[in-house]
Amino acid sequence: MNNKLRVLQVGCGGISNNWLTTLKGREDIEIVGLVDLDENNAINKRNDFNLTCNTYTDFEKAIADTTPDVVIDNTIPEIHHRIVTTSLKADCHVFGEKPLADTMENAIDMVKTADKMNKSYSVMQNRRFLKDIRSFQSIIEKQMIGELGFLGASFYIEAHFGGFRDIMDSPLILDMAIHTFDQARFISGCDPISVYCHEFNPSGSWYKGNASAVCIFEMTDNVVFSYNGSWCAKGNLTSWECDWRAMGSDGAARWDGKSAPWYEKPSDTQNMFPAEYERNIIDNDDNSKEGHAGCINDMIDSLKNGIPSQTDCKDNIKSLAMVMAAIKSSMEQKKVYINEIIDI
């Protein structure tokens, strides 16, 4: 592999700005082509980022012409499978936007194709790379509150998107909860075993489908993860990163998604009902990039070092399985085991 990775950007909508900003800022990246069904989108991005590469509407022709090392998939979920498998079979690595795929069948095939072709497919999970979530995760990992027993996330947002989300059957779980479920796996260090999910659409909702949900996940290491969320909340809103609570054998931790996380432990362990708790705020002075930039840098650096990225498809498929299992549970009104969705 040359010192510079040749990158083909597929999909030039709004989200591509996050990718192109980071890619353009790295000296070890050469952007060799831009692809979009509307070539004007590709041309505009080329001008916006002062690039000299060619633009295309035909994805297969773009791969043949540019021979990239890496394909960036910023397309809609329904065509992730075609873009990713075609790229992998063309001897390209792939970095793409979440979700990994639109169905578990497609996701499994994509993971198998990456393995067969000995190529990497990494999925965007930008929230893993926020400084405060890493601080919160460190509280759990270093057992500052003892052994983790419960992790809870509350998500209440008033989201007026318009468009396709307003008519989806499961807009919250299918389009948004992948972030929170992946966060839960990252924070806890645990994998899902089963889920019971109840989706509903409360009065006052402007969505056609179920825009609210309650989920209870059994996780490995005897951890329970609880998710309560709504995209049609009116008041007492949380951040987009959720309001998190962790309960351990020796204390508890909180992160409101906005400020630095903290943990508390009883000051008198001999008292059954301690009157005072010692609060410790965890500040993060890490200067590394956050969000999309942090995740993209991890993808590139991992690829160059020959190791899986944090969001490699073989791991990220577990987060997608949580989404699909939750929807199945809601539809069937029963607990669903993750191994019914995928054997992990």
Side-chain angles (χ1 to χ4, degrees):
M1 187 179 296
N2 296 327
N3 289 332
K4 280 197 173 187
L5 289 172
R6 296 171 55 81
V7 173
L8 176 66
Q9 171 78 35
V10 182
C12 294
I15 199 65
S16 67
N17 292 327
N18 292 342
W19 289 82
L20 291 170
T21 297
T22 299
L23 295 170
K24 181 77 185 298
R26 290 188 60 126
E27 295 182 353
D28 55 355
I29 295 295
E30 179 185 1
I31 301 171
V32 296
L34 300 171
V35 185
D36 199 279
L37 291 176
D38 183 344
E39 192 166 13
N40 286 329
N41 290 337
I43 292 171
N44 289 337
K45 284 292 181 288
R46 181 176 63 183
N47 294 337
D48 291 345
F49 287 89
N50 195 27
L51 302 172
T52 59
C53 60
N54 289 333
T55 60
Y56 301 86
T57 57
D58 187 320
F59 165 60
E60 283 81 3
K61 177 174 172 50
I63 283 191
D65 283 359
T66 62
T67 61
D69 299 307
V70 179
V71 171
I72 307 296
D73 179 16
N74 285 179
T75 63
I76 61 174
E78 288 74 16
I79 62 172
H80 282 352
H81 180 265
R82 181 173 75 86
I83 298 296
V84 172
T85 55
T86 300
S87 300
L88 294 169
K89 291 174 182 177
D91 204 33
C92 303
H93 301 282
V94 183
F95 304 156
E97 273 295 328
K98 64 86 184 168
L100 188 156
D102 58 333
T103 67
M104 283 307 301
E105 291 77 13
N106 281 340
I108 291 168
D109 184 60
M110 293 155 80
V111 172
K112 288 182 176 178
T113 302
D115 189 54
K116 179 181 178 181
M117 300 305 300
N118 195 28
K119 291 295 176 180
S120 170
Y121 171 34
S122 296
V123 183
M124 174 54 63
Q125 296 288 177
N126 52 309
R127 284 168 169 79
R128 282 183 176 236
F129 293 85
L130 299 175
K131 292 179 181 178
D132 287 333
I133 196 175
R134 289 180 171 271
S135 295
F136 188 62
Q137 185 268 347
S138 72
I139 294 173
I140 311 305
E141 183 180 43
K142 296 177 181 178
Q143 295 196 338
M144 297 178 188
I145 58 171
E147 186 176 349
L148 182 66
F150 171 82
L151 183 65
S154 296
F155 177 84
Y156 295 102
I157 294 291
E158 183 179 3
H160 293 273
F161 293 108
F164 70 93
R165 292 182 181 89
D166 284 5
I167 59 174
M168 291 173 63
D169 291 333
S170 301
L172 177 71
I173 294 293
L174 190 59
D175 196 61
M176 183 64 206
I178 181 69
H179 283 297
T180 309
F181 294 171
D182 187 72
Q183 284 174 285
R185 289 185 55 237
F186 172 66
I187 291 167
S188 67
C190 300
D191 286 328
I193 296 173
S194 71
V195 60
Y196 180 81
C197 172
H198 177 68
E199 293 179 285
F200 59 101
N201 203 34
S203 60
S205 172
W206 47 96
Y207 292 86
K208 178 182 178 182
N210 292 316
S212 301
V214 176
C215 302
I216 303 172
F217 286 91
E218 291 177 291
M219 310 288 281
T220 53
D221 297 334
N222 296 314
V223 172
V224 171
F225 165 54
S226 171
Y227 171 79
N228 297 273
S230 178
W231 250 354
C232 55
K234 295 182 178 179
N236 292 319
L237 306 181
T238 66
S239 77
W240 282 84
E241 321 310 333
C242 296
D243 188 350
W244 293 85
R245 175 185 293 270
M247 294 172 55
S249 56
D250 299 330
R254 286 285 307 278
W255 179 46
D256 62 8
K258 305 172 185 177
S259 52
W262 69 90
Y263 69 94
E264 293 182 340
K265 300 173 73 171
S267 56
D268 182 2
T269 58
Q270 302 302 314
N271 191 336
M272 183 176 296
F273 301 103
E276 295 183 358
Y277 291 82
E278 297 177 357
R279 174 172 293 194
N280 299 275
I281 298 174
I282 307 299
D283 288 317
N284 192 325
D285 57 2
D286 184 2
N287 292 321
S288 59
K289 296 292 185 180
E290 295 189 88
H292 265 74
C295 192
I296 294 167
N297 286 339
D298 179 69
M299 292 175 180
I300 296 171
D301 294 342
S302 296
L303 181 61
K304 292 172 77 71
N305 291 325
I307 59 175
S309 70
Q310 287 192 37
T311 59
D312 183 82
C313 63
K314 294 177 184 177
D315 180 78
N316 190 253
I317 196 170
K318 300 175 185 178
S319 298
L320 182 63
M322 293 174 75
V323 171
M324 298 306 181
I327 293 174
K328 179 178 173 68
S329 171
S330 178
M331 292 178 61
E332 298 180 358
Q333 299 183 26
K334 68 176 186 179
K335 177 190 287 189
V336 170
Y337 285 87
I338 302 299
N339 61 13
E340 297 177 30
I341 304 296
I342 181 176
D343 185 7
I344 59 175

